Amino acid sequence: MMTHMEFLKKFKRINPFESSLGVLGFFLVALCFIGCFFFLDYRAVSRRLRTRALPGSLAWLGSEVSPLSSPALPSSETVVDGLPEFLEEGGDGCNVFDGDWVWDESYPLYQSQNCSLLDVGFRCAENGRPDSFYTKWRWQPKHCNLPRFDAKVMLEKLRNRRVVFVGDSIGRNQWESFLCILSSAVSNKSSIYEVNGSPITKHTGFLVFKFRDFNCTIEYYRAPFLVVQGRPPPGAPKNVKLTLRVDKMDWSSKQWRGADVMVFNTGHWWNYEKTIRGGCYFQEGKKVKMEMSVNDAYKRSLKTLLDWVASHVNMRETQVFFRTYSPVHFRGGDWKNGGSCHLETLPDLSSLPASPETWPHMKASIDVLSGQSNNSQAMKLDLLNVTVMTYPRKDGHASVYYQALGLGPAPLHRQDCSHWCLPGVPDSWNELLYALFLKRESMHTRNSTEPSAAQV
């Protein structure tokens, strides 16, 4: 049996540093072994991973990527096994706005340098943005598969037709995305031109681009409120500098008539800063409604839109879309006091789905449309409900990359976290528009070929 003195002698001979070094060496060898295992088996593992990115499942992506290059991930299939195709009968009840953003190496649908129909402010990659992750995400509904936007198919469908976009600059963002997707299928770019010779510029009231070989036009009309903004009526209070005629559509509405597809949007200008604070109040008939809130005025203008559609649009011939509010992602402020988004390179897929109450404009849109359930024309309007699906895409904004490359990135205190880089998020809105457009076309074809009850 070891005596007390013998134990002390042995204890003195123990070198704690040798023991620590041994443990540290074992730890490093184990770490290297595990690292090599994951490196060598990465491709096999990644093949088994679904690219469907559910909330909280981005860790495997974020740990492998560099902000200056694309992640080395396999392309996801645009068809998820077991889900019906939206354009087929099995997809009739599918809510295409309920889904997830998935990584897809086959995207984007076009490259900005190959499209001359883009404002400088949307050309983020050409303006110096170093990453391209924001171009690689595809919207995947949970209960059906969307068709990939086929520009050749769409151009044939639009032969001898007109598509009209009406709204604010975010609507213009979507319009330019639509132009670029379509133009990617046209080899002779000179056959696409603005009918009045006007260049792409943010200061033009309306632009009409013609695809000559298909005799179709893709048009944009700037109407940020959709209703008329003008001088106040005689006898208005002195602090009223302008009014929004919430009961009268924009002056350009005469030019929208006869279009085969209409895409409306409004929302970003419906705030206190751009209305009441600047002396712009709301008018119905000849009376200025001094007590009317911005939200109530917005709802009233949407009702005016629906009334106009009911009176001036043949819904049997024209498909009408209303695109809901596109979320902004300013952090630490807003557009005028240092809000930023320039460090965002990945979507926030861990965030919980938000309710309509989060965005008053989205809730107002739904309230007005649901309140018009007895209006058969309103019921035929397609709600392009992009608000919730766009909410996680904090990575897709122009941020500091809205100036031409020679001018360098914009100052950090003057970021654009409202508009979107192209290619980017608005392309997904247009893929939804494409799917809904084709769905209506296929249903019309299906109904026309089915025998009537009398024939049976």
Side-chain angles (χ1 to χ4, degrees):
M1 184 173 179
M2 185 181 294
T3 66
H4 181 66
M5 291 301 296
E6 289 172 339
F7 174 78
L8 289 176
K9 288 178 182 179
K10 287 196 174 188
F11 181 78
K12 288 179 180 178
R13 288 197 296 270
I14 295 174
N15 187 334
F17 294 104
E18 291 179 359
S19 177
S20 299
L21 288 173
V23 172
L24 181 62
F26 176 79
F27 176 77
L28 289 174
V29 170
L31 188 64
C32 289
F33 176 79
I34 294 171
C36 289
F37 171 79
F38 277 107
F39 175 77
L40 293 173
D41 202 39
Y42 173 72
R43 289 185 180 275
V45 172
S46 63
R47 286 191 192 99
R48 292 193 296 270
L49 286 173
R50 303 292 297 181
T51 55
R52 182 170 185 159
L54 297 172
S57 65
L58 254 183
W60 59 275
L61 174 61
S63 63
E64 297 291 338
V65 297
S66 160
L68 297 178
S69 61
S70 297
L73 298 174
S75 298
S76 71
E77 298 294 331
T78 57
V79 174
V80 177
D81 294 339
L83 292 182
E85 300 303 311
F86 177 64
L87 296 183
E88 297 176 359
E89 289 190 45
D92 285 354
C94 179
N95 177 7
V96 294
F97 306 107
D98 179 21
D100 302 295
W101 290 100
V102 300
W103 183 266
D104 194 325
E105 280 285 357
S106 69
Y107 279 66
L109 297 170
Y110 59 92
Q111 297 294 340
S112 61
Q113 61 267 29
N114 298 330
C115 181
S116 62
L117 311 175
L118 277 183
D119 277 296
V120 170
F122 304 147
R123 297 177 176 273
C124 301
E126 294 170 79
N127 295 342
R129 179 165 177 168
D131 70 297
S132 62
F133 298 166
Y134 63 94
T135 69
K136 296 292 184 180
W137 296 97
R138 174 175 59 79
W139 181 250
Q140 172 62 54
K142 289 180 180 178
H143 304 296
C144 63
N145 289 313
L146 288 175
R148 184 183 176 96
F149 198 122
D150 188 324
K152 291 182 179 179
V153 169
M154 191 60 168
L155 282 169
E156 282 297 340
K157 293 285 186 182
L158 294 178
R159 187 178 291 276
N160 301 318
R161 287 173 157 183
R162 293 175 61 207
V163 179
V164 164
F165 287 79
V166 184
D168 55 28
S169 55
I170 309 297
R172 183 188 179 107
N173 219 169
Q174 183 182 4
W175 170 69
E176 293 190 21
S177 158
F178 195 73
L179 281 174
C180 284
I181 296 173
L182 292 181
S183 70
S184 67
V186 179
S187 57
N188 180 12
K189 304 300 184 187
S190 64
S191 66
I192 308 170
Y193 57 90
E194 208 287 321
V195 296
N196 297 307
S198 301
I200 284 279
T201 168
K202 290 183 177 180
H203 305 291
T204 302
F206 71 94
L207 292 165
V208 178
F209 275 86
K210 185 166 187 175
F211 286 70
R212 185 188 63 204
D213 296 341
F214 299 89
N215 192 35
C216 72
T217 57
I218 314 298
E219 309 170 25
Y220 167 75
Y221 295 88
R222 183 181 180 275
F225 295 105
L226 294 183
V227 294
V228 170
Q229 184 179 39
R231 291 181 295 181
K238 290 184 179 180
N239 59 327
V240 179
K241 299 177 182 177
L242 292 168
T243 64
L244 283 169
R245 299 279 302 275
V246 294
D247 57 349
K248 186 176 180 62
M249 290 301 288
D250 188 86
W251 301 118
S252 63
S253 59
K254 292 180 180 179
Q255 297 170 270
W256 315 339
R257 297 181 189 179
D260 300 278
V261 179
M262 293 179 171
V263 186
F264 294 99
N265 93 282
T266 187
H268 284 265
W269 285 56
W270 287 95
N271 57 62
Y272 181 80
E273 295 288 329
K274 291 186 179 292
T275 56
I276 296 173
R277 183 170 182 174
C280 181
Y281 288 81
F282 311 112
Q283 178 181 344
E284 279 191 279
K286 296 182 179 180
K287 185 177 180 180
V288 179
K289 303 282 189 175
M290 299 297 293
E291 302 303 319
M292 182 178 276
S293 69
V294 174
N295 194 52
D296 286 343
Y298 177 67
K299 288 183 178 181
R300 181 66 181 87
S301 72
L302 292 181
K303 186 177 184 306
T304 299
L305 170 64
L306 292 180
D307 291 342
W308 183 88
V309 169
S311 301
H312 296 93
V313 178
N314 182 350
M315 297 291 276
R316 291 189 298 273
E317 303 294 333
T318 301
Q319 188 168 9
V320 181
F321 294 91
F322 181 84
R323 181 181 57 73
T324 60
Y325 183 76
S326 165
V328 300
H329 292 91
F330 290 97
R331 298 291 180 264
D334 56 26
W335 64 275
K336 64 183 185 301
N337 57 18
S340 67
C341 55
H342 66 293
L343 297 179
E344 308 292 354
T345 57
L346 292 172
D348 182 12
L349 300 183
S350 63
S351 60
L352 295 174
S355 66
E357 284 73 16
T358 307
W359 298 280
H361 294 326
M362 175 185 172
K363 186 175 185 303
S365 304
I366 295 173
D367 287 348
V368 171
L369 290 173
S370 61
Q372 299 292 310
S373 57
N374 59 344
N375 185 333
S376 60
Q377 293 292 80
M379 293 301 292
K380 295 178 183 177
L381 183 145
D382 284 301
L383 190 68
L384 205 58
N385 193 359
V386 305
T387 307
V388 174
M389 66 174 279
T390 306
Y391 176 63
R393 296 306 309 273
K394 59 181 182 175
D395 58 312
H397 293 289
S399 65
V400 296
Y401 302 107
Y402 59 84
Q403 296 185 146
L405 189 59
L407 301 176
L412 292 181
H413 66 279
R414 296 188 61 187
Q415 298 196 29
D416 183 351
C417 304
S418 300
H419 297 93
W420 302 93
C421 298
L422 291 178
V425 172
D427 302 333
S428 295
W429 304 345
N430 283 325
E431 283 206 293
L432 290 169
L433 186 152
Y434 171 75
L436 292 171
F437 174 83
L438 291 185
K439 186 72 169 180
R440 172 171 155 142
E441 294 275 303
S442 65
M443 291 183 73
H444 281 185
T445 302
R446 195 189 310 168
N447 292 338
S448 64
T449 56
E450 289 178 355
S452 65
Q455 292 174 318
V456 176

